[in-house]
Amino acid sequence: MRDHSSVHLDTRSPLVLNTRDLPRRPGAMRTVEQSIPAPKDLGLELIGVPEGAAVRLDLRLESVSEGVYVSGTATAPVEGECGRCLRPISDTLVVNLQELYAYEHSTTDETTDEDEVGRMQGDLIDLEPALRDAVVLALPNHPRCREDCPGLCPDCGVHWDDLPEGHTHGQVDPRWSALAKLKPEE
Ligand SMILES: [Zn+2]
Ligand SMILES: [Zn+2]
């Protein structure tokens, strides 16, 4: 069993849920419907939820014998850029959350690993790791502005959509390349 006292949850953090008003009686339930500001780094390198953007939580907190079962959805705006053409992408992401948070010193707490089952700290639940996992899993590793984005011409950097058909760059004669370098920058 790990030492829970090493992590202190901040009750002011919007992703720390307080279950004080949820009776520890199996079947007791309450809902959480609120918007919270996104923590930073919620996403991947090329696409993610902007820090501070409104994340809508629609959750059900249910007492079960060993802890609290949290289920529902988080809805958040995502912004990023196309991995092929660098055009900005904006979208709305809806992720499902389904996570059991075990009471401290419950059998589940004593017999499972923390990466299998979440843990409560007193009455507190830290939703951030589950939210982070769900968001990261739902985001594309290779974001595209559209499925068949052709990307950019490697020579001039213009989107293939904006170039005429058959667009090419004639090879510069190596004898002229020295002169080309002398040309003033435009
Ligand atoms: Zn693109
Ligand atoms: Zn080109």
Side-chain angles (χ1 to χ4, degrees), residues 167-181:
H167 166 84
T168 55
H169 293 262
Q171 288 296 105
V172 176
D173 187 310
R175 284 169 298 173
W176 293 106
S177 59
L179 285 174
K181 275 185 206 137

Side-chain angles (χ1 to χ4, degrees), residues 98-124:
Q98 287 176 329
E99 193 86 9
L100 172 68
Y101 295 88
Y103 295 135
E104 286 174 304
H105 312 302
S106 63
T107 310
T108 303
D109 181 19
E110 310 283 353
T111 59
T112 60
D113 281 335
E114 274 183 71
D115 52 5
E116 289 175 68
V117 178
R119 292 294 190 274
M120 295 186 64
Q121 204 177 93
D123 289 325
L124 304 180

Side-chain angles (χ1 to χ4, degrees), residues 44 47 93-96 131-141:
L44 302 169
I47 191 162
L93 186 71
V94 183
V95 293
N96 285 308
L131 177 66
R132 210 172 268 290
D133 286 356
V135 166
V136 165
L137 269 176
L139 288 173
N141 280 311

Side-chain angles (χ1 to χ4, degrees), residues 6 29 37 55-56 62 126 153:
S6 58
M29 203 194 83
V55 180
R56 170 80 191 171
E62 199 179 335
D126 183 11
C153 168

Side-chain angles (χ1 to χ4, degrees), residues 14-15 34-43 48-57 74-80 90-93 131 135:
L15 281 168
Q34 63 186 54
S35 287
I36 55 106
K40 69 173 187 213
D41 301 326
L42 185 58
V49 182
E51 183 179 0
V55 180
R56 170 80 191 171
L57 300 177
T75 307
V78 290
E79 281 175 21
S90 35
D91 208 346
T92 302
L93 186 71
L131 177 66
V135 166

